[in-house]
Amino acid sequence: MQVAYFQMAGAGKTRTQDALFDGVAVHQTKLHKARLVEAPQLPLRLAVADGLFASPAAGHASRFWMEAFAAADDGGARFLRRTHPLFCAALAENAFGAATTFASLILANGTATVCNVGDSRIYHINAAGCWQQISHDHTVLAEMIERGEAQAEGDYAGLYSMLAHSLAADWEADDFRIFTTSLPLAAGEALLLCTDGLSDALPHAQLERLWQAHDGLPARLEALRQAVRRVPYFDDCTVVCVVHDG
């Protein structure tokens, strides 16, 4: 397995509200260019979180969840339900409503279990470099599509992309939805976790083109980072990826 990541603050920002666990350490920094992770532990555990800019102490919210995930033995739905009261106890008094998204991966014995709340995403990338989103966006539009009130291929106003669910430091906000699934990871395939600084900045076709145009995991991630950096007013962006190199 190879693991690499990058992280950067949005245009004009001095700090990021994203946080990352790369299998070894938690990161929350203005800039880490694409780099390999040395000796990631097995079973492999990766996660990203995107503190919501409209909430107080957003960066503290995302870091809390990455540190909690790094210290835990699991990382799925039970972990999220069990940890939410601790999150509220830590932040609600001084930063009520602090909120973040969450996406995690646990890879053991060739099978990956993934989990997300909000719109931080997890992609499966096959050996040919084709990307498939396997996480679920907990947005207003996604819920409307589930209820048959909107069409997946429709063109809707930006307000429909607002989050319907996140992890918030609010004792009563314990009904957040969690998506989880499992899948095998074969030789030559990859799983990539990202905050919406990547998925909102670059269209699906461009993600695939950049991945397929470069060789090696660090080069591919750095190509993604540079492409995001060229987008006007780009947002905080965090990506971590594991490749089964056979």
Side-chain angles (χ1 to χ4, degrees):
M1 299 289 177
Q2 277 196 332
V3 178
Y5 73 94
F6 73 79
Q7 185 172 55
M8 62 181 182
K13 297 177 66 174
T14 59
R15 63 183 63 184
T16 180
Q17 294 173 334
D18 289 357
L20 155 75
F21 179 62
D22 68 3
V24 176
V26 173
H27 302 281
Q28 189 173 41
T29 187
K30 182 178 180 180
L31 177 63
H32 275 318
K33 295 182 180 179
R35 59 182 66 182
L36 285 169
V37 177
E38 294 186 10
Q41 299 176 6
L42 297 175
L44 181 64
R45 303 171 72 253
L46 306 173
V48 300
D50 178 3
L52 304 190
F53 75 96
S55 73
H60 293 291
S62 61
R63 189 172 186 94
F64 174 94
W65 282 99
M66 292 301 93
E67 291 179 345
F69 179 80
D73 293 328
D74 56 0
R78 285 183 295 177
F79 159 76
L80 293 171
R81 299 292 183 200
R82 183 180 72 244
T83 307
H84 184 257
L86 304 178
F87 176 50
C88 294
L91 274 75
E93 181 175 356
N94 296 317
F96 180 80
T100 185
T101 66
F102 176 91
S104 69
L105 172 155
I106 300 176
L107 181 60
N109 301 318
T111 298
T113 300
V114 303
C115 174
N116 83 284
V117 178
D119 62 357
S120 286
R121 289 185 176 180
I122 306 163
Y123 290 95
H124 175 262
I125 307 171
N126 69 17
C130 298
W131 291 45
Q132 179 184 7
Q133 181 183 344
I134 56 173
S135 56
H136 177 77
D137 292 342
H138 293 114
T139 61
V140 172
L141 178 58
E143 293 207 335
M144 291 174 62
I145 292 171
E146 285 184 334
R147 295 193 298 266
E149 298 170 0
Q151 301 297 319
E153 64 276 7
D155 186 15
Y156 299 93
L159 65 91
Y160 290 103
S161 65
M162 294 175 57
L163 288 179
H165 296 273
S166 64
L167 299 172
D170 176 348
W171 296 99
E172 296 184 357
D174 60 356
D175 59 346
F176 52 88
R177 293 183 65 182
I178 303 168
F179 174 83
T180 185
T181 191
S182 298
L183 71 161
L185 185 66
E189 298 181 339
L191 287 166
L192 181 145
L193 289 71
C194 66
T195 60
D196 66 358
L198 179 73
S199 54
D200 284 353
L202 305 180
H204 190 100
Q206 186 176 5
L207 295 172
E208 292 188 336
R209 285 198 304 270
L210 289 167
W211 184 272
Q212 294 166 12
H214 294 81
D215 294 319
L217 182 55
R220 284 168 164 163
L221 294 196
E222 185 61 15
L224 295 176
R225 190 187 73 84
Q226 292 290 350
V228 171
R229 191 169 175 269
R230 290 190 289 270
V231 174
Y233 311 112
F234 62 88
D235 196 3
D236 296 343
C237 186
T238 294
V239 173
V240 63
C241 183
V242 55
V243 173
H244 188 331
D245 53 12

